[in-house]
Amino acid sequence: MTAKIEVAAGLRNWVEIDGAALRHNAREFRRRLAASTRLGVVVKSNAYGHGILETARIAVDEGCDWLCVNEASEGVALRSAGFRKPVLVMGYVPLGELDAVVAHDLRPVVYNLETLDRLETLCEQAGKQVAVHLKVETGTNRQGIPLEELASFVTRLGGSPQLRLDGLSTHFANIEDTTEHGFAEEQIARFQSASASLRERHPELICHAACSAATLLFGRMHLDLARIGISFYGIWPSKETYLSCLERGTPTLDLRPALSWKTRVAQVKTVPEGSFIGYGCTYRTTRESRIAVLPVGYYEGYDRGLSGVGHVLIRGKRAPIRGRVCMNMCMVDVSDIPGAGLEDEVVLLGSQEGEHIAAAQIAAWLGTISYEVVARINPELRRIVTDSEAAS
Ligand SMILES: Cc1ncc(COP(=O)(O)O)c(C=O)c1O
């Protein structure tokens, strides 16, 4: 605790990660998955704002088998930091960046033939083989090979010693937003028909489809690899997912949010009744008010949509945002928080003295989802990891 305070002492705003919470969440999933199902932790986008390397270290320590990223550069960062686990690159890798995939033994998700051609050439030059995961289109219409074209991709792979068919995947379109899972069932049926015939010829094929919500709701879709993102960080994918679990009698997970986002008070001033606060004069005090200035704004990831809407925690009490959130600052009303003063710790997201602001709460204020709230915290902000269970 003392160490944490010392590290934060010189910072304007920072993120604290509770390593014990991440470990707990990893165990919650590990014990729900069969031993034959690989636990893949999705650490893309700076581990949903949690810090990619710090998070990956804890995930691997807790028995995570695969690391899943969006782009090749994230895989390279993991390799450079010494991670040897399989790394699945789920997003698009431009043809000009595929050399990094080959050089660092990353496993790309592929859905176009041009990528296979380029990978083959690079592997020939490097004297290597690449493990390819094909992605099939089952209803999301994002990435994916149309089902009727899958056979031609498999034939293409079969004809090349440089390309090894390692996996077959898909991604669900409509699991988090609904408690009615008919569309997901249709996607499952399509994926199962594609994977069943392929697996007959490739018994080692790694089939995977499940994100957090699908892992929680469809035990039969854990398959060979579950790709867990948001819930590893202790956040429910949505309230619909939580309700669906309750409806299905699925034992709900005990998820522990790992991320807190903090800043400190930069100035407190008393302003007379009738004063405007901030750009655009969007708020006017209705009484003499004590206004605290916080050194955090939309550059740091504190969304401008929170202007006049959000709250922060100071001394265990809620302080409402007054006026507009600026690029690097915002103002809150501390009139009802006796003693609030310079350098007081401020919680933007997380807990303080029994009060809590959840990512889901900020998401509701903004009309978005928890994913966006945590993923958009500026990656340059310092991540301070407390990990009481880390091996010394
Ligand atoms: C292809 C793919 N798989 C898995 C995930 C993880 O999803 P979740 O964070 O809901 O667990 C994502 C997240 O965006 C994804 O794009």
Side-chain angles (χ1 to χ4, degrees):
M1 180 60 86
T2 319
K4 186 174 82 188
I5 291 166
E6 278 167 15
V7 175
L11 302 173
R12 270 173 294 122
N13 45 78
W14 66 97
V15 171
E16 289 177 13
I17 302 298
D18 178 354
L22 292 178
R23 289 176 187 280
H24 167 87
N25 299 332
R27 286 180 211 137
E28 282 287 281
F29 278 102
R30 186 65 278 175
R31 69 192 171 84
R32 275 171 174 77
L33 299 177
S36 57
T37 301
R38 298 160 182 84
L39 171 59
V41 171
V42 182
V43 293
K44 67 176 183 168
S45 307
N46 202 27
Y48 292 40
H50 290 64
I52 182 168
L53 299 182
E54 299 88 335
T55 300
R57 215 159 274 131
I58 291 174
V60 168
D61 212 26
E62 286 302 326
C64 146
D65 304 296
W66 284 46
L67 295 164
C68 308
V69 296
N70 178 57
E71 45 185 276
S73 65
E74 295 168 326
V76 174
L78 289 169
R79 288 283 183 256
S80 306
F83 289 95
R84 301 268 66 90
K85 294 280 180 195
V87 173
L88 183 73
V89 184
M90 304 187 300
Y92 180 60
V93 183
L95 301 179
E97 206 192 11
L98 285 168
D99 51 337
V101 166
V102 173
H104 294 276
D105 295 318
L106 310 176
R107 305 190 190 205
V109 170
V110 177
Y111 39 86
N112 65 53
L113 290 169
E114 293 83 347
T115 296
L116 294 182
D117 294 343
R118 181 81 190 128
L119 281 171
E120 185 178 48
T121 306
L122 289 165
C123 284
E124 272 165 4
Q125 288 164 358
K128 291 177 98 166
Q129 190 185 55
V130 65
V132 170
H133 285 240
L134 296 180
K135 186 160 192 176
V136 281
E137 181 49 67
T138 57
T140 306
N141 281 312
R142 197 170 69 170
Q143 303 157 303
I145 303 163
L147 286 170
E148 56 282 8
E149 290 175 27
L150 179 59
S152 61
F153 276 73
V154 175
T155 307
R156 174 72 182 84
L157 287 171
S160 171
Q162 282 77 30
L163 307 174
R164 178 169 66 82
L165 176 58
D166 193 46
L168 185 73
S169 71
T170 198
H171 192 49
F172 288 103
N174 195 24
I175 274 199
E176 293 88 0
D177 294 86
T178 179
T179 53
E180 201 288 300
H181 295 293
F183 196 81
E185 292 288 358
E186 285 172 25
Q187 287 193 270
I188 291 173
R190 285 184 206 118
F191 186 68
Q192 282 178 334
S193 78
S195 56
S197 57
L198 202 52
R199 208 202 268 276
E200 275 172 27
R201 281 171 289 143
H202 299 270
E204 301 301 320
L205 191 70
I206 299 169
C207 295
H208 49 105
C211 53
S212 295
T215 303
L216 294 169
L217 292 171
F218 296 101
R220 70 187 197 280
M221 290 311 287
H222 292 175
L223 306 176
D224 306 307
L225 166 67
R227 310 183 304 254
I228 313 290
I230 196 80
S231 298
F232 171 70
Y233 304 104
I235 299 172
W236 278 83
S238 64
K239 58 177 176 293
E240 288 82 357
T241 304
Y242 186 75
L243 278 175
S244 295
C245 282
L246 292 180
E247 268 178 13
R248 286 165 180 236
T250 314
T252 56
L253 287 186
D254 170 29
L255 293 178
R256 301 193 184 159
L259 184 148
S260 306
W261 185 9
K262 297 183 179 178
T263 184
R264 63 178 79 252
V265 172
Q267 185 184 12
V268 179
K269 58 175 73 165
T270 300
V271 300
E273 180 184 337
S275 305
F276 292 107
I277 309 291
Y279 288 132
C281 297
T282 56
Y283 180 77
R284 191 169 200 181
T285 56
T286 53
R287 56 174 171 164
E288 181 180 90
S289 305
R290 292 180 71 238
I291 299 294
V293 181
L294 309 181
V296 65
Y298 55 82
Y299 172 72
E300 284 77 24
Y302 201 66
D303 199 289
R304 192 164 176 274
L306 293 164
S307 302
V309 176
H311 293 76
V312 302
L313 302 178
I314 301 176
R315 298 191 175 217
K317 294 201 166 55
R318 290 185 171 234
I321 310 276
R322 297 299 195 209
R324 289 209 182 124
V325 173
C326 320
M327 192 181 291
N328 309 106
M329 275 179 247
C330 62
M331 282 70 84
V332 297
D333 193 333
V334 292
S335 305
D336 298 320
I337 308 181
L342 185 68
E343 297 262 321
D344 271 3
E345 184 172 282
V346 180
V347 170
L348 307 170
L349 195 175
S351 300
Q352 196 184 56
E353 297 175 32
E355 263 284 10
H356 185 67
I357 298 178
Q361 171 67 78
I362 298 180
W365 283 329
L366 291 170
T368 185
I369 51 177
S370 303
Y371 294 70
E372 188 180 351
V373 172
V374 288
R376 289 185 61 200
I377 301 175
N378 190 322
E380 287 177 14
L381 301 192
R382 179 80 176 265
R383 268 66 180 167
I384 302 172
V385 182
T386 51
D387 191 359
S388 52
E389 295 179 39
S392 49

